[in-house]
């Protein structure tokens, strides 16, 4: 049902509608179908009790474990491998993740996945507002304070704890991403954008805290869901708002009506919730997003960026929204800065361009092999190719 709803939402996307009708807008009828299907998933999750959001304090177990136990599938609507697989799913890749990195013995080196500093601006503030709102409280000179709990949870920043146990060199216990820092590097080495990610590891994912994790019979299991319930809520919010025209829309005749705003709030409420809870986290959407569909959708784009960080959703999202070649999403940037010796906060910050993605509208599609396209009249090449 989740896959069906996602397919219907994609069918109703500006990308598909443009190729079908020439209109760069959502197809309301397909969005209505998607909303109805995705709402059935939400209702089934509640009525059967078989699926629910993962508690915030235990959300890591949805993506990985470091002690040979299975990942928690309570939120997973579609998983890539059986949940009872006894050992690591991607053996060859994961072994190297925990290998000593030359003279910089950083364990749990997922933070080597550089994060685009420009992309990090999608993460809003703890008060629930995007950083672009004038009353959000965002301070460009102190960019990592008072941010959405998902920022602190999944973004690896200068000074963050990266292993519980001191390594052979105690300097490696905390990240040093400032310019000239121990863990700062040039392109393709260490963290060169000045910011990384820690979504798929925690401080116990290292051979010091968990002996044997980097040896034969690896203890680490990475098994992130392909579709999870939070994604379903966000897709439903997108579908019902574009299908019926408003963030406050619901599926007509629904016995348990859920607005697009309600669906987003459910996902946000989990972020930063107390131990064992899925509520009590982020505040609900500000009223300024309740009745303006365009404003709501811009926030929803950021919400998907935050919640689904590094879950292989972003590229397809930008394509289906016809935003892949949008200038707002082309820049990949990094940040140079010094660390204030007294406060530990970044100072002398200077953003720099790593590169601009080379992309235009035709890159929303893959080219079909020329010999296949020529098989018979009427078999057309993909748009732009």
């Amino acid at each position: 049902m989740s896959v069906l709803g996602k397919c219907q939402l994609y069918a109703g996307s500006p990308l598909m509608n443009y190729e079908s009708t020439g209109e760069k807008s959502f197809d309301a009828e397909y969005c209505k179908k998607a909303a109805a299907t995705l709402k059935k998933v939400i209702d089934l999750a509640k009525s059967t009790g078989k699926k629910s959001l993962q508690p915030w304090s235990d959300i890591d177990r949805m993506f990985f474990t470091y002690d040979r136990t299975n990942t928690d599938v309570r939120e997973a609507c579609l998983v890539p491998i059986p949940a009872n697989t006894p050992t690591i799913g991607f053996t060859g890749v994961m072994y190297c993740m925990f290998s000593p990195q030359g003279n910089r013995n950083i364990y749990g080196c997922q933070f080597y996945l550089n994060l685009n500093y420009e992309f990090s601006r999608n993460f809003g503030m703890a008060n629930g507002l995007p950083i672009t709102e004038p009353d959000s409280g965002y301070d460009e000179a102190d960019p990592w304070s008072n941010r959405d709990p998902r920022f602190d949870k999944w973004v690896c920043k200068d000074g963050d704890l990266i292993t519980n146990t001191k390594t052979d060199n105690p300097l490696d216990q905390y990240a040093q991403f400032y310019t000239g820092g121990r863990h700062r590097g040039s392109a393709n080495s260490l963290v060169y954008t000045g910011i990384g990610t820690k979504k798929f590891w925690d401080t116990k994912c290292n051979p010091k805290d968990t002996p044997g994790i980097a040896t034969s019979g690896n203890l680490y299991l990475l098994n992130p869901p392909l579709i999870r319930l939070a994604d379903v809520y966000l897709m439903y919010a997108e579908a019902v708002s574009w299908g019926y025209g408003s963030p406050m829309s619901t599926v007509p005749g629904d016995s348990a009506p859920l607005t697009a705003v309600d669906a987003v709030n459910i996902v946000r409420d989990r972020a930063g919730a107390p131990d064992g809870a899925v509520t009590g986290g982020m505040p609900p959407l500000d009223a300024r997003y309740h009745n303006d569909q365009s404003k709501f959708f811009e926030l929803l784009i950021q919400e998907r960026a935050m919640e689904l960080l590094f879950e292989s959703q972003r590229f397809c999202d930008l394509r289906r929204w016809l935003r892949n070649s949008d200038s707002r999403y082309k820049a990949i940037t990094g940040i140079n800065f010094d660390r204030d010796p007294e406060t530990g906060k970044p100072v002398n910050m200077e953003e720099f361009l790593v590169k601009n993605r080379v992309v235009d509208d035709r890159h929303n599609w893959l080219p079909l092999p020329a010999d296949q396209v020529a098989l018979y009249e009427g078999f057309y090449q993909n748009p732009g190719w």
Side-chain angles (χ1 to χ4, degrees), residues 1-14 16-17 26-41 235 238-239 320:
M1 292 292 289
S2 301
V3 174
L4 174 61
K6 189 166 192 172
C7 288
Q8 291 169 330
L9 180 61
Y10 271 55
S13 69
M16 301 304 291
N17 196 30
F26 283 87
D27 182 294
E29 293 309 308
Y30 268 116
C31 287
K32 289 175 182 177
K33 292 179 180 180
T37 302
L38 294 165
K39 184 55 166 55
K40 287 180 181 178
V41 176
M235 288 193 293
E238 182 180 339
R320 66 188 177 88

Side-chain angles (χ1 to χ4, degrees), residues 19-232:
E19 298 307 329
S20 299
T21 69
E23 297 292 330
K24 294 183 176 181
S25 58
F26 283 87
D27 182 294
E29 293 309 308
Y30 268 116
C31 287
K32 289 175 182 177
K33 292 179 180 180
T37 302
L38 294 165
K39 184 55 166 55
K40 287 180 181 178
V41 176
I42 292 169
D43 291 342
L44 278 170
K46 291 182 178 179
S47 63
T48 65
K50 291 183 177 181
K51 296 296 172 185
S52 63
L53 292 181
Q54 186 84 1
W56 179 251
S57 58
D58 203 28
I59 198 169
D60 289 345
R61 290 192 59 84
M62 178 167 56
F63 304 116
F64 70 89
T65 62
Y66 52 81
D67 54 4
R68 201 184 284 278
T69 58
N70 292 328
T71 50
D72 193 326
V73 297
R74 78 181 76 180
E75 189 170 328
C77 299
L78 181 67
V79 292
I81 57 176
N84 62 353
T85 300
T87 187
I88 187 167
F90 310 94
T91 305
V93 176
M94 291 301 108
Y95 283 160
C96 68
M97 183 183 296
F98 304 104
S99 300
Q101 302 296 313
N103 65 350
R104 297 180 173 91
N105 268 348
I106 309 301
Y107 298 109
C109 60
Q110 266 290 330
F111 72 74
Y112 284 92
L113 288 176
N114 286 261
L115 184 62
N116 179 0
Y117 189 74
E118 173 62 31
F119 180 90
S120 74
R121 291 190 169 98
N122 284 293
F123 286 86
M125 303 298 289
N127 60 15
L129 294 176
I131 67 173
T132 51
E133 293 287 4
D135 55 341
S136 70
Y138 176 69
D139 183 358
E140 190 74 46
D142 187 15
W144 302 324
S145 295
N146 303 314
R147 299 293 289 272
D148 185 296
R150 289 167 289 192
F151 184 85
D152 292 327
K153 180 72 171 175
W154 292 330
V155 175
C156 194
K157 309 171 294 301
D158 181 59
D160 279 0
L161 182 71
I162 53 180
T163 178
N164 288 337
T165 306
K166 290 184 178 181
T167 64
D168 297 334
N169 189 326
L171 294 175
D172 286 332
Q173 191 173 12
Y174 296 89
Q176 296 183 22
F177 293 164
Y178 54 85
T179 305
R182 182 172 174 80
H183 311 131
R184 187 67 184 264
S186 56
N188 300 319
S189 97
L190 304 180
V191 174
Y192 62 94
T193 63
I195 192 169
T197 177
K198 54 187 178 182
K199 190 169 190 176
F200 301 120
W201 62 275
D202 72 5
T203 54
K204 299 184 187 68
C205 288
N206 64 78
K208 295 289 184 177
D209 291 317
T210 309
I213 199 168
T215 62
S216 179
N218 202 320
L219 302 177
Y220 183 85
L221 173 66
L222 175 66
N223 192 33
L226 297 177
I227 300 180
R228 56 187 177 96
L229 195 56
D231 187 11
V232 171

